[in-house]
Structures are given as structure tokens and as C-alpha cells.
Amino acid sequence: MSSAESDLYQEVVLEHKRAPRNFGHLPHPTHQAQGTNPSCGDRVAVELLLDGQRVQDIRFSGQGCAICMASSSMMTEAVKGRDIAAAQALQRHFRAVLTGEEDPDEAPLGKLVSLAGVRQYPSRIKCALLGWHALMHAIAGQQDAGGTEESLS
Ligand code: ZN
């Protein structure tokens, strides 16, 4: 990682950790799921208000490390108001970048690219993916996303 990339990564992560977006609960969520990352102690719950195929509103709650919280916060910004298909595509690209299957310079990640530096730290990849993991389970209608183990194997 270049020092510039490192600085950006730090700044964005710390800013979202300090002021997470869409943090809390929805009054009437249509879909929800939670996930845990035992290796770090992260716990994240995602609540959705789906309007047909569109993510009308989203909230997340829980506790975790800075990367987990920042990634979940950025996720809510990235998918709010978008179609489920777009959210699923973004999750696939984000995961592929973090696991080294896709080049971050070529993946359509938008602002999420500032988290691409996490791929340098294999033990933190689960932290960055936990919120997304819970989101995918919420969309699929599965309440308990469980651990993140199976998604990375
Ligand atoms: Zn973590």
C-alpha cells in the first residue's frame, strides 16, 4: 500500500467509525439479519425496508472494530435507494477485491475502494465483509447470518 492509499484508508475508516451512517433501527423493517465474526468479536445486525426490488431504507447496529463499523456504514450508504441486484453485484465485487480475485483499480466499487487496502491484512477481511454478509442474508430472508467462515472458504 502506498502512503497516500494508507492515509486515505485511515481517514475514511476513522471518519465512518466516529460517525457511522444509518446506524440504529428501522421502525418497521421488512427484512433483517445479523452476523458475528468470532475471531474479532464483531457483531452486526442489518435491518432493511425493501420496496419491491429496491432498498428503500437500511440501518445497521452492533459493535465491532473500526474496519467492521466503517465498512458497514459505507455499505449502507452504497446500497440505500438502489436495487437489490445492484447491492448484490457490489457485494460480489467488494468481496472479490478483498480476497484478491479482482483488481481494485478495475472493480466498480465507487467509494468502497477506500477499503480495498484491507486486502493486505487477511485477518481483517472478515471484519470488512461482515456487514455485507448480514445484508445478503437479510435480502435472502435468513435471520441469522451466523459466522463469516463459510463465505470465505
Ligand atoms: Zn473486526
Side-chain angles (χ1 to χ4, degrees), residues 123-153:
S123 65
R124 313 310 299 276
I125 293 172
K126 287 178 194 169
C127 302
L129 289 176
L130 183 62
W132 286 95
H133 195 62
L135 173 66
M136 293 300 114
H137 278 261
I139 288 172
Q142 295 163 337
Q143 294 275 323
D144 186 3
T148 52
E149 303 292 334
E150 82 276 15
S151 71
L152 295 171
S153 60

Side-chain angles (χ1 to χ4, degrees), residues 55-115:
V55 179
Q56 192 176 332
D57 210 350
I58 180 169
R59 293 285 187 283
F60 83 101
S61 57
Q63 286 187 311
C65 64
I67 290 171
C68 172
M69 299 306 276
S71 179
S72 298
S73 172
M74 294 177 79
M75 171 193 78
T76 63
E77 281 197 319
V79 306
K80 192 172 174 178
R82 299 184 73 184
D83 288 345
I84 288 172
Q88 289 169 327
L90 198 52
Q91 187 266 352
R92 278 195 298 274
H93 285 296
F94 186 56
R95 184 178 150 191
V97 164
L98 291 191
T99 55
E101 295 158 36
E102 206 169 323
D103 186 335
D105 293 330
E106 290 168 13
L109 290 182
K111 289 181 183 174
L112 298 179
V113 77
S114 18
L115 285 166

Side-chain angles (χ1 to χ4, degrees), residues 1-18:
M1 192 186 316
S2 71
S3 66
E5 187 183 354
S6 174
D7 287 346
L8 175 65
Y9 160 70
Q10 288 286 346
E11 189 181 312
V12 170
V13 166
L14 291 176
E15 206 277 315
H16 275 266
K17 164 72 174 166
R18 194 160 46 226

